[in-house]
Amino acid sequence: MAMRMRLYCIFLEKERFLPVGVFDGTQALSELASQDRDLILCDVMMPGINGCTLVDIIRKSDSQIPILMATARSSFADKQRAFSAGSDDYMVKPIDLNELKLRVAALLRRASKMNNRSMTIGNALLDLDTLTVTEGSSSEQLPQKEFLLLFKLLASPGRIFTRRDIMNDIWGRETDSDERTVDVHIRRLRERFEGSPSFEIITVRGLGYKAMVSS
């Protein structure tokens, strides 16, 4: 595991990223406590704290940092466990380094979008300050949570969000609301933007939701 970590760091550094390697989950938490990071790449199987537990701990304090998990396990149940813990992406070992570079770059681009106050997707403009979606000559102001949910999905097109991901980020971890609240908000968004040429909200059976945008 240590050798693979060093290999990933050497490769990513050659690709002009600035990786910092640690050897287990405890060191990772210590590193995150002392320094802000832009992305986390972690293995599911680690000494001490396993990857899913580590991701769950991180998500309780930082819901935005992108997390890419690596594992030798490729079953649907393993992927579901990783996404449910809060992972943004998932790679099965042996990892192709060129694919790793592409995924890391994509996650960093998505994170950068989330830090903006507005976002353009196709012909749709989302303005976080006014909670409005403008598409062509039509402009609509959304209730806050509907807007935040749509913004979250569209900022990471193709990424699967579980209902728990969405609840934790938009309603907060201490909310008394049921996860079915997410389904209600998704249904309202679909009704509002049915037939939109810019984006579509897709249900991923057994996992959650994702947005697909027009090319």
Side-chain angles (χ1 to χ4, degrees), residues 127-138:
D127 189 322
L128 188 57
D129 292 323
T130 60
L131 304 179
T132 57
V133 179
T134 302
E135 193 167 17
S137 59
S138 174

Side-chain angles (χ1 to χ4, degrees), residues 156-172:
S156 302
R159 173 186 162 186
I160 300 168
F161 292 94
T162 67
R163 291 173 178 82
R164 179 47 50 189
D165 289 335
I166 295 168
M167 290 296 296
N168 289 344
D169 194 23
I170 296 177
W171 278 265

Side-chain angles (χ1 to χ4, degrees), residues 56-212:
D56 185 61
I57 293 170
I58 291 169
R59 284 291 179 240
K60 288 178 180 176
S61 60
D62 189 336
S63 61
Q64 298 300 326
I65 187 169
I67 300 176
L68 171 59
M69 296 191 76
T71 180
R73 299 175 178 177
S74 59
S75 73
F76 177 82
D78 293 314
K79 294 177 182 179
Q80 185 177 38
R81 192 174 302 113
F83 283 119
S84 295
S87 173
D88 296 294
D89 204 353
Y90 184 99
M91 294 187 72
V92 177
K93 294 183 287 188
I95 287 178
D96 180 280
L97 293 178
N98 288 317
E99 183 181 352
L100 174 64
K101 177 183 70 174
L102 294 177
R103 289 179 182 262
V104 166
L107 286 171
L108 290 173
R109 283 196 303 271
R110 293 172 189 174
S112 177
K113 281 185 180 180
M114 285 297 291
N115 290 327
N116 293 333
R117 303 298 296 177
S118 64
M119 174 171 55
T120 300
I121 298 292
N123 294 322
L125 172 65
L126 286 77
D127 189 322
L128 188 57
D129 292 323
T130 60
L131 304 179
T132 57
V133 179
T134 302
E135 193 167 17
S137 59
S138 174
S139 184
E140 185 169 5
Q141 185 176 46
L142 274 58
Q144 184 186 49
K145 285 185 169 52
E146 279 186 43
F147 182 91
L148 293 175
L149 172 53
L150 182 62
F151 198 94
K152 181 180 181 70
L153 293 173
L154 291 178
S156 302
R159 173 186 162 186
I160 300 168
F161 292 94
T162 67
R163 291 173 178 82
R164 179 47 50 189
D165 289 335
I166 295 168
M167 290 296 296
N168 289 344
D169 194 23
I170 296 177
W171 278 265
R173 289 181 177 271
E174 306 304 320
T175 182
D176 292 327
S177 297
D178 189 274
E179 288 187 15
R180 285 173 294 183
T181 301
V182 175
D183 300 332
V184 173
H185 283 68
I186 290 288
R187 185 173 68 249
R188 289 173 180 167
L189 287 171
R190 283 173 169 160
E191 290 172 353
R192 289 180 188 276
F193 299 104
E194 183 179 11
S196 168
S198 302
F199 59 85
E200 181 181 5
I201 299 173
I202 305 294
T203 300
V204 183
R205 188 175 298 276
L207 287 176
Y209 297 102
K210 67 179 180 179
M212 300 300 294

